[in-house]
Amino acid sequence: MIRQGLLWLSEQQWVFDFARRNPLARPFARRFVPGEDLGEAVAVARQLAGRGISTSLDLLGESVTREADADAARAEYVAMVDRLAATGDGVEVNVSVKLTQMGFDIDEELCFQNVAAILDRARAAGGFVRLDMESSAYTQRTLDFFADRLFERWGAHCGVVIQTCLRRSAADVERLVAMGARVRLCKGAYLEPPAVAFPEKAEVDRNYVRLMERLLDDGNYPGLATHDEKLIEHARRYVQRHRIGEDRYEFQMLYGVRRDLQEKLRAAGHRMRVYVPFGTQWYPYLMRRLAERPANIAFILGNILREGRGSR
Ligand SMILES: Cc1cc2nc3c(=O)[nH]c(=O)nc-3n(C[C@H](O)[C@H](O)[C@H](O)COP(=O)(O)OP(=O)(O)OC[C@H]3O[C@@H](n4cnc5c(N)ncnc54)[C@H](O)[C@@H]3O)c2cc1C
């Protein structure tokens, strides 16, 4: 119930407008979004690289309805790629992009031109662009766009995301394995109807195990994006048993979530990538994080109160 409510709120523009004006909401967001500008995100990438953890930077924003906004987002991504390429210190050129931020809902050709500009730049820098996966309304279109328009031209420089909450995902994984495409595997962050998604968490988790094993066996460098310790333990045992080298997959987690586990995996010799979102459009992202773990609301409030008391 709480999850549904928070996910519903994540789509309400009027709540976002209220939240942005509310000074209390900013420290709330900071737990998961390190800053509003690129400089802050790059500083985090540099810090993490210093600890042997790689990153994927994400300029927050989605569901763009004006061409000018899509163009502005593209320009920011191109600048981001250039900045990452110039940073050095072990920081990789790796970004995550949402197609609806690039104009997917306005005109597919506009979206293609925007994504192509980012991909060209990323390829020139030896980098990588991941298409984040949005709600199930976009799954087919996103996968077709990737397979028909991007993969042949940019191959190893681009990848997609599969959500194990969706009933269709086993078939999608087969298609992507056959193509040799890079896949990030996650459970899925959106509110989906039972017609397309497993309603029970146990089923989502079982599907994760099944698709993770498939990708570890025959996929192209899968990104195992989860904070679920049971699934991570399963992956660790599986790669050991099947003698799958640490250079054939990576674990991925979100900025601000389970930092202890991120360190533990890295220390154990696994590759670890952290997704670092930044920008002013943090509200829907924050609400999805709160929906995943409503206890976060109390946790963050507690931190804010403690810090407030400490600074007095
Ligand atoms: C790198 C990365 C990229 C992602 N990209 C996408 C994408 O493109 N599309 C998409 O739909 N979803 C994406 N997600 C989100 C994903 O689908 C899940 O919603 C999210 O990761 C929570 O699922 P979980 O696997 O951690 O398992 P859960 O069962 O939700 O959580 C397992 C445990 O992890 C911890 N945990 C999980 N979430 C949080 C949180 N927010 N705060 C604190 N603790 C938490 C808790 O201890 C929890 O018990 C991405 C996730 C990651 C890590």
Side-chain angles (χ1 to χ4, degrees):
M1 264 315 265
I2 297 177
R3 176 170 188 263
Q4 262 104 330
L6 288 166
L7 287 176
W8 178 81
L9 280 173
S10 77
E11 292 168 4
Q12 307 307 309
Q13 182 64 38
W14 62 274
V15 187
F16 182 19
D17 295 341
F18 171 77
R20 269 220 85 198
R21 284 195 305 270
N22 187 331
L24 244 189
R26 284 284 283 281
F28 229 89
R30 262 199 116 77
R31 174 78 173 87
F32 299 105
V33 180
E36 291 202 345
D37 68 57
L38 176 58
E40 288 168 294
V42 171
V44 167
R46 204 185 228 136
Q47 254 170 32
L48 287 168
R51 303 207 318 257
I53 294 176
S54 58
T55 46
S56 188
L57 261 55
D58 166 54
L59 171 68
L60 292 165
E62 53 202 87
S63 309
V64 159
T65 53
R66 294 185 320 158
E67 190 171 335
D69 291 338
D71 288 347
R74 185 248 304 131
E76 285 205 52
Y77 265 98
V78 169
M80 195 194 308
V81 167
D82 289 349
R83 177 82 174 265
L84 288 171
T87 298
D89 291 340
V91 173
E92 290 178 18
V93 177
N94 189 310
V95 298
S96 294
V97 177
K98 286 185 176 53
L99 289 183
T100 65
Q101 185 182 20
M102 294 294 135
F104 211 32
D105 286 334
I106 307 170
D107 171 24
E108 196 173 303
E109 196 49 40
L110 164 78
C111 179
F112 175 74
Q113 295 304 333
N114 284 334
V115 175
I118 301 167
L119 271 163
D120 278 341
R121 210 54 156 250
R123 179 171 53 192
F128 184 79
V129 178
R130 175 83 62 185
L131 300 187
D132 281 341
M133 188 57 82
E134 302 179 66
S135 75
S136 62
Y138 295 99
T139 311
Q140 188 67 47
R141 282 179 66 201
T142 301
L143 294 177
D144 287 345
F145 184 82
F146 173 75
D148 301 340
R149 309 210 61 182
L150 306 187
F151 185 67
E152 219 168 76
R153 195 151 144 199
W154 289 280
H157 296 279
C158 57
V160 276
V161 177
I162 291 292
Q163 298 151 325
T164 66
C165 67
L166 297 185
R167 298 179 189 276
R168 57 175 290 156
S169 289
D172 292 333
V173 162
E174 285 313 316
R175 180 183 178 200
L176 293 160
V177 165
M179 286 164 61
R182 277 173 63 173
V183 173
R184 172 200 292 158
L185 191 66
C186 68
K187 292 188 187 180
Y190 297 84
L191 194 56
E192 302 289 2
V196 299
F198 299 112
E200 298 297 329
K201 184 175 158 33
E203 287 178 287
V204 177
D205 293 357
R206 266 198 300 278
N207 202 30
Y208 197 106
V209 169
R210 177 179 165 209
L211 302 187
M212 171 169 76
E213 290 182 354
R214 183 74 187 102
L215 288 166
L216 284 169
D217 285 342
D218 292 314
N220 178 6
Y221 194 68
L224 308 177
T226 182
H227 316 89
D228 189 326
E229 286 201 72
K230 280 206 292 294
L231 294 178
I232 291 169
E233 250 334 287
H234 185 97
R236 293 182 68 177
R237 283 197 303 271
Y238 192 82
V239 295
Q240 206 170 23
R241 203 171 343 117
H242 294 262
R243 298 183 195 288
I244 297 169
E246 274 109 22
D247 56 344
R248 282 187 40 206
Y249 63 93
E250 65 182 26
F251 287 110
Q252 300 185 351
M253 293 191 199
L254 301 175
Y255 174 85
V257 180
R258 293 304 309 263
R259 280 175 284 207
D260 56 333
L261 199 48
Q262 295 172 15
E263 288 292 348
K264 190 174 140 191
L265 287 168
R266 188 207 50 78
H270 296 284
R271 292 189 182 179
M272 180 77 236
R273 184 178 306 280
V274 168
Y275 184 97
V276 181
F278 72 96
T280 55
Q281 305 295 304
W282 42 260
Y283 169 77
Y285 179 87
L286 171 69
M287 295 308 279
R288 290 198 288 271
R289 301 296 76 84
L290 298 182
E292 278 151 13
R293 190 168 171 267
N296 278 334
I297 300 173
F299 174 75
I300 300 172
L301 264 180
N303 276 352
I304 294 171
L305 288 175
R306 261 193 307 280
E307 280 163 22
R309 253 187 257 128
S311 63
R312 248 181 258 149

